[in-house]
Amino acid sequence: MAFSVANNRLTSTDGGVDQVETSKMGGVLNARFLVIHYTAGASFDSDLKSLAKDNETKASVHLLIGRDGKIAQIVPFNRVAWHAGKSQWGEISGLNSHSIGIELSNYGVLTKLANGKFVTWFGKEVPDGEVMEAVHERGGPLRGWHTYPQKQLETLISVAHALQARFRFLDILGHDDISWARKSDPGPAFPMNSVRSRILGRHD
Ligand SMILES: [Zn+2]
């Protein structure tokens, strides 16, 4: 699928972007960074509801990508979305005012049961093939994390290429990079180095 940006909205050749309205946005955005998140939600539909509906959380985001590659745009790219919260990168604090946010539908941190199975924070058992055990890069215990399907990652990379062509980001960051002590997303199951090098052409 080929994506492009027109009128601060993501478009695709086959119309595969669901455009959603929200009132949860701030002022004019000058996007210099791309920030990646996981939702820690139960499904694409519940993620979309909590990110777009006024009466749900105070959180919003520019784009939501489902596990099957489905995409919704909630906030236009020229307006601030509320995805980063208290955050810092180098000299810059409050990354909402400097970044486009992408949320990936994903259960997040999983809990290991005595029988070796993993469950979500809301008690749903996760198939073994969707679990990765890893220590977060800031340290802490070995934990289970929900993996990202290839379809979701390929969609993210295609979208990020289109955004990079338009906005020329200085860097691609995880929420856990900019809210280091407070946030764990997108976590160790997300291939950040590979995504960075594919979009920015870097290898660090
Ligand atoms: Zn986040």
Side-chain angles (χ1 to χ4, degrees):
M1 202 184 287
F3 296 98
S4 58
V5 176
N7 299 320
N8 294 297
R9 292 276 174 180
L10 186 69
T11 61
S12 80
T13 44
D14 62 2
V17 183
D18 187 12
Q19 296 293 343
V20 178
E21 297 295 319
T22 189
S23 63
K24 296 193 291 186
M25 64 177 94
V28 175
L29 172 65
N30 177 21
R32 297 190 287 159
F33 297 91
L34 181 63
V35 177
I36 309 296
H37 304 258
Y38 63 52
T39 57
S43 69
F44 178 89
D45 289 343
S46 66
D47 292 336
L48 182 56
K49 187 161 178 268
S50 77
L51 290 164
K53 288 265 164 47
D54 301 341
N55 56 347
E56 301 277 333
T57 64
K58 281 272 188 185
S60 63
V61 76
H62 294 95
L63 298 172
L64 170 66
I65 302 178
R67 299 180 66 74
D68 58 358
K70 193 171 170 184
I71 306 172
Q73 180 162 9
I74 300 166
V75 175
F77 299 128
N78 63 338
R79 298 288 298 273
V80 170
W82 301 335
H83 57 96
K86 188 170 160 47
S87 49
Q88 181 89 29
W89 185 249
E91 301 290 298
I92 300 166
S93 62
L95 271 287
N96 280 345
S97 299
H98 304 277
S99 65
I100 285 172
I102 298 181
E103 289 273 3
L104 301 171
S105 286
N106 181 286
Y107 297 143
V109 177
L110 308 173
T111 300
K112 193 174 193 173
L113 303 179
N115 66 6
K117 295 290 184 187
F118 287 85
V119 292
T120 66
W121 61 268
F122 50 93
K124 181 182 172 163
E125 187 175 312
V126 180
D128 293 343
E130 295 182 21
V131 179
M132 175 187 180
E133 280 192 279
V135 173
H136 194 274
E137 63 177 340
R138 71 165 167 258
L142 182 69
R143 308 175 89 173
W145 305 83
H146 195 198
T147 57
Y148 299 89
Q150 205 55 37
K151 177 74 182 168
Q152 186 178 32
L153 292 174
E154 289 302 326
T155 302
L156 169 70
I157 286 164
S158 298
V159 168
H161 270 300
L163 295 176
Q164 176 66 7
R166 169 68 180 77
F167 296 103
R168 300 289 171 194
F169 299 118
L170 299 175
D171 211 342
I172 299 173
L173 305 168
H175 200 184
D176 44 13
D177 291 319
I178 60 172
S179 300
W180 181 249
R182 192 170 66 84
K183 289 290 178 177
S184 297
D185 62 308
F190 183 78
M192 182 58 93
N193 290 341
S194 158
V195 169
R196 263 198 192 116
S197 70
R198 286 181 69 178
I199 304 306
L200 303 173
R202 293 189 348 202
H203 304 282
D204 56 347

